Amino acid sequence: MVHLVLPALIPDIKRVYDSYFAAFRNDPMGEIMLNILFPGGNVNTPEFREEHAKGTLAWWHQSDSQYTYKCVDTDNGDIVGMGLIDVILRRRSDEERAFQGVPWLEGEAKERAEKVLKPLHDMREQLFGDQQYIYAHVIGVLPEHQGKQAGAALAGWGLSFVDYTNLPLYFEASPSSVGLYEKLGYERLKETIVHKAETLGTTTDISVPLMVKMPKSAGGMSFYEWKEKGYPKFNAATPVSKKQKL
């Protein structure tokens, strides 16, 4: 079985988000986020999925930095996973960088969702400001395909994308997956985001691990060293450190 990561196409939207919703429902933190972002427990209904697909397509028509990828089982062409990333390349205005809120919700549901999402946005601004970088929103794999190399294919694709673009990749990990990404060479940042129990509807607060993968062209430089140096650009000619050569 071989898994291939490709750009998602318009006819793929519903099948790609089959992976998204199923993966989130299969993860404790993911299920909490689903209930906050899409309250009402109706994410499996045909009516919700139809409206979600329409909203996704409308967003694809206007976004100039967000990309959706699919992980395909080449034995049969089935979509078994997905990835959603922002590739920040151009300078953005203050208005573009401002928190956009949660326009699909209203009232208390909107306030609750924004209490969760705004700290994530503010941390990205604190760490990266107006620099070029890649932000991974989510990687999701159908539960029945987890442990069958689909996740590894998406993670490996992400690593190669980082090195190909010479851009660092940043994302908020699930507490259940942070160990895997550390084994893959991702750097866990000292900063963290703590979601309060009363907001999440849980018995305890939950800390969100923040991860960065620096490109090979960084020459072994950590995220903090890069930030301290003023976010220098990387290119293929960047010297490789002795540590990286080993």
Side-chain angles (χ1 to χ4, degrees):
M1 180 185 299
V2 175
H3 293 96
L4 183 63
V5 179
L6 296 168
L9 305 174
I10 289 174
D12 298 325
I13 289 176
K14 288 185 180 180
R15 290 192 297 155
V16 162
Y17 277 92
D18 284 343
S19 302
Y20 171 86
F21 287 113
F24 267 50
R25 287 194 302 269
N26 199 49
D27 177 80
M29 187 63 195
E31 186 171 18
I32 291 169
M33 291 299 293
L34 274 187
N35 292 333
I36 291 173
L37 297 177
F38 307 107
N42 63 346
V43 297
N44 290 325
T45 65
E47 294 80 11
F48 171 84
R49 293 300 303 278
E50 187 67 31
E51 289 303 310
H52 181 269
K54 289 179 181 177
T56 299
L57 180 58
W59 175 247
W60 284 13
H61 278 292
Q62 69 178 25
S63 176
D64 67 353
S65 63
Q66 190 170 104
Y67 302 87
T68 305
Y69 290 85
K70 59 185 177 182
C71 182
V72 178
D73 180 349
T74 58
D75 286 348
N76 50 30
D78 287 347
I79 295 174
V80 300
M82 61 88 71
L84 183 66
I85 64 172
D86 286 341
V87 182
I88 308 299
L89 297 176
R90 65 175 179 82
R91 296 289 183 182
R92 297 166 293 151
S93 67
D94 291 342
E95 182 178 357
E96 289 174 312
R97 290 172 59 188
F99 179 59
Q100 301 300 314
V102 186
W104 63 89
L105 295 178
E106 297 178 347
E108 293 183 1
K110 179 182 177 69
E111 292 179 9
R112 183 190 184 201
E114 291 181 349
K115 282 182 181 179
V116 173
L117 295 186
K118 190 173 188 302
L120 303 179
H121 165 273
D122 292 348
M123 181 60 74
R124 293 195 298 274
E125 287 296 310
Q126 174 186 324
L127 293 171
F128 290 93
D130 199 26
Q131 303 305 312
Q132 294 180 325
Y133 72 106
I134 302 164
Y135 170 53
H137 290 262
V138 64
I139 287 178
V141 176
L142 289 170
E144 60 268 30
H145 285 270
Q146 293 175 9
K148 298 179 180 179
Q149 299 302 308
L154 284 160
W157 169 84
L159 292 173
S160 63
F161 193 71
V162 166
D163 292 333
Y164 184 79
T165 60
N166 295 316
L167 295 175
L169 182 148
Y170 168 80
F171 71 104
E172 302 102 8
S174 167
S176 64
S177 66
V178 62
L180 169 65
Y181 287 105
E182 287 181 319
K183 289 180 181 178
L184 290 172
Y186 286 78
E187 176 183 355
R188 184 170 181 174
L189 302 185
K190 61 186 179 184
E191 291 84 359
T192 189
I193 295 170
V194 179
H195 294 312
K196 295 296 184 182
E198 56 266 29
T199 300
L200 298 181
T202 55
T203 56
T204 60
D205 298 345
I206 294 181
S207 296
V208 180
L210 307 179
M211 313 294 293
V212 169
K213 185 66 176 74
M214 300 293 285
K216 289 181 180 178
S217 54
M221 186 186 302
S222 72
F223 168 79
Y224 293 108
E225 291 171 329
W226 179 58
K227 190 172 185 286
E228 181 69 22
K229 291 178 181 291
Y231 305 100
K233 286 184 176 293
F234 305 123
N235 55 59
T238 302
V240 177
S241 68
K242 292 181 178 179
K243 180 179 178 181
Q244 193 173 359
K245 289 179 180 178
L246 296 178

